[in-house]
Structure formats: C-alpha cells, structure tokens
Amino acid sequence: QEGGIKIECNLNYDRLADITDGYTGSDIQLVCKEAAMRRVRNIFNVLEEMEINPENTNRQNKLKIDPVTTGDVEAALQSTKPSSRNLAPKYNAWKKHYE
C-alpha cells in the first residue's frame, strides 16, 4: 500500500492456528488489528515520554514499529473471543428443529 505504514510480523503460524480454533475470518481480522495496535501504542508511549522529557534523546531512536509477534496475537486473543461460540447454540437449535 503506497504511503502506508509497513508493519513486520514474526509469528508462529502453527501455534496461532492451534489457538484460534473456532474463530471466524472476521474474528481473526479483529485479533490481527488489535495485535498491530499494540505495537502502534508503543510509539505513542515513546512520543508522550519525549513530550514530558524532551532532553532524553535516546527515546528518538525507539521511534520505530517493532514486528508483531506471536505474543502480541496471544495477548489480543485474551480480549477477543470467537463469535462462533455465541452462534453454536442457535445453529444447533435450528439444526434440531429441521432434522
């Protein structure tokens, strides 16, 4: 994407596939956005620190977005539950009704 921000990833896809069982594509998209936002929030923290302590020039070297890691995705999963869990009882009732 031209002019956009590129965020690198360092992910264990096999692990993530195991722990996202039951997540829909939309659920996983939301988890990915939240994991990426964890890295973006780090930049905001650095900028706030620079505003509070402008003489601390070492912080300027930290103005980069670190790669999104498996840990970031795992943390995002803690606050994002699969929507299919909510739909399963309705689906099972519908299935039983029409069998």
Side-chain angles (χ1 to χ4, degrees):
Q1 159 179 351
E2 191 172 322
I5 296 174
K6 183 177 180 181
I7 299 178
E8 302 284 330
C9 296
N10 183 8
L11 303 171
N12 178 338
Y13 292 103
D14 291 331
R15 164 93 176 117
L16 295 176
D18 288 340
I19 63 176
T20 55
D21 185 42
Y23 282 75
T24 66
S26 293
D27 295 336
I28 291 173
Q29 182 179 17
L30 180 63
V31 168
C32 291
K33 284 182 181 181
E34 179 57 32
M37 281 305 298
R38 288 174 52 84
R39 292 299 165 185
V40 172
R41 285 185 201 106
N42 288 341
I43 295 294
F44 286 118
N45 292 339
V46 171
L47 291 172
E48 286 175 4
E49 178 65 28
M50 287 174 63
E51 188 174 280
I52 294 169
N53 297 317
E55 67 280 352
N56 187 351
T57 57
N58 290 338
R59 301 295 258 174
Q60 290 179 353
N61 295 334
K62 295 186 178 184
L63 278 179
K64 70 179 190 95
I65 298 178
D66 293 325
V68 176
T69 66
T70 302
D72 293 319
V73 177
E74 290 172 334
L77 286 168
Q78 295 301 312
S79 61
T80 309
K81 301 302 175 200
S83 61
S84 63
R85 283 188 190 161
N86 297 334
L87 298 175
K90 291 179 185 178
Y91 170 74
N92 288 331
W94 179 84
K95 181 181 170 186
K96 184 177 275 189
H97 178 73
Y98 290 100
E99 283 183 329

